[in-house]
Amino acid sequence: KNEVEQSPQNLTAQEGEFITINCSYSVGISALHWLQQHPGGGIVSLFMLSSGKKKHGRLIATINIQEKHSSLHITASHPRDSAVYICAVFPLAGGTSYGKLTFGQGTILTVHP
Amino acid sequence: DSGVTQTPKHLITATGQRVTLRCSPRSGDLSVYWYQQSLDQGLQFLIHYYNGEERAKGNILERFSAQQFPDLHSELNLSSLELGDSALYFCASSVGSSGGGDTQYFGPGTRLTVL
């Protein structure tokens, strides 16, 4: 079992829909990242969070440390949101994975006009 | 544009060869990270340097090595290349030394094809 699991793997939506991508992890972490990878391959950091909720424009990220779960929400989705969304966790000190960002397999989002 | 530059953009080479990938971090960033993205493995952390010193090592093969120079640019050397080394190699940078505790800024990547 991977340390970081994302769901769904693929997501298709119509423009304007509310979208949720989920990320579950199995290790204690000090931070969680949401990344966006464009069809051309470039990667952009969307959020880094260790508790609570962050908002940037139409994007909202939440994390529940106790439940080891994070969600990325996109409100009023648009075709330009089509991309791969990747969750990554930074494990707590003391474990074998400390110092190493560990990635989920990504969620492929396609938004149709 | 993240401010992180990587060269070359594309690299095609043969099995057994050696290549060097180069990364220049954003101005002011002291940390450089290398990642490999292949179709079957997804994104994987390779190595992290902070101000010239190795801070963490991931699943980096012994055939691969990296270093960060005094001007903070970094190079990833891949030798005895195999078909399975074909992948996108990303470099990222951040201000601090905490690894995944900082926001990281990714370069455009180098696409390596081993024939």
Side-chain angles (χ1 to χ4, degrees), chain A residues 30-33 35 37 40-45 48 86 90 98-101 103-104, chain B residues 35 37 43-45 48 56-58 88 90 98-104 106-108:
Chain A
S30 59
L32 181 143
H33 298 250
L35 309 173
Q37 186 167 25
I43 296 176
V44 174
S45 177
M48 185 189 68
I86 302 167
F90 188 60
Y98 178 66
K100 307 165 189 176
L101 209 54
F103 298 86
Chain B
Y35 299 98
Q37 186 178 39
L43 266 167
Q44 289 201 300
F45 166 75
H48 168 208
K57 211 174 217 183
L88 261 173
F90 288 100
S98 67
D102 290 324
T103 295
Q104 296 185 18
F106 285 76

Side-chain angles (χ1 to χ4, degrees), chain B residues 60-75:
Chain B
I60 187 166
L61 299 171
E62 283 191 14
R63 300 183 286 108
F64 296 0
S65 65
Q67 60 184 125
Q68 187 180 27
F69 295 87
D71 68 352
L72 301 177
H73 91 272
S74 178
E75 292 181 357

Side-chain angles (χ1 to χ4, degrees), chain B residues 1-110:
Chain B
D1 184 1
S2 67
V4 179
T5 60
Q6 285 187 251
T7 56
K9 199 164 185 176
H10 301 276
L11 197 46
I12 302 174
T13 187
T15 54
Q17 295 298 305
R18 173 189 167 94
V19 297
T20 297
L21 313 183
R22 184 188 167 105
C23 168
S24 292
R26 289 188 327 155
S27 176
D29 285 358
L30 298 178
S31 274
V32 169
Y33 312 82
W34 286 98
Y35 299 98
Q36 180 193 55
Q37 186 178 39
S38 59
L39 279 175
D40 55 343
Q41 299 275 356
L43 266 167
Q44 289 201 300
F45 166 75
L46 294 178
I47 199 160
H48 168 208
Y49 279 89
Y50 175 76
N51 204 21
E53 291 189 5
E54 183 185 304
R55 292 298 293 247
K57 211 174 217 183
N59 298 323
I60 187 166
L61 299 171
E62 283 191 14
R63 300 183 286 108
F64 296 0
S65 65
Q67 60 184 125
Q68 187 180 27
F69 295 87
D71 68 352
L72 301 177
H73 91 272
S74 178
E75 292 181 357
L76 179 67
N77 299 297
L78 315 176
S79 61
S80 303
L81 285 168
E82 302 175 359
L83 295 177
D85 298 327
S86 295
L88 261 173
Y89 291 85
F90 288 100
C91 161
S93 73
S94 71
V95 171
S97 62
S98 67
D102 290 324
T103 295
Q104 296 185 18
Y105 298 87
F106 285 76
T110 293

Side-chain angles (χ1 to χ4, degrees), chain A residues 10-70:
Chain A
N10 286 279
L11 183 53
T12 301
Q14 289 298 123
E15 184 172 356
E17 286 185 359
F18 181 85
I19 286 162
T20 296
I21 299 170
N22 296 298
C23 175
S24 295
Y25 51 91
S26 57
V27 296
I29 67 168
S30 59
L32 181 143
H33 298 250
W34 281 103
L35 309 173
Q36 180 192 53
Q37 186 167 25
H38 298 289
I43 296 176
V44 174
S45 177
L46 298 175
F47 295 103
M48 185 189 68
L49 59 166
S50 53
S51 65
K53 178 177 172 178
K54 285 190 177 180
K55 185 174 190 290
H56 181 70
R58 295 180 294 107
L59 302 178
I60 303 166
T62 64
I63 188 168
N64 185 318
I65 294 290
Q66 287 74 29
E67 294 187 4
K68 293 187 169 63
H69 182 268
S70 175

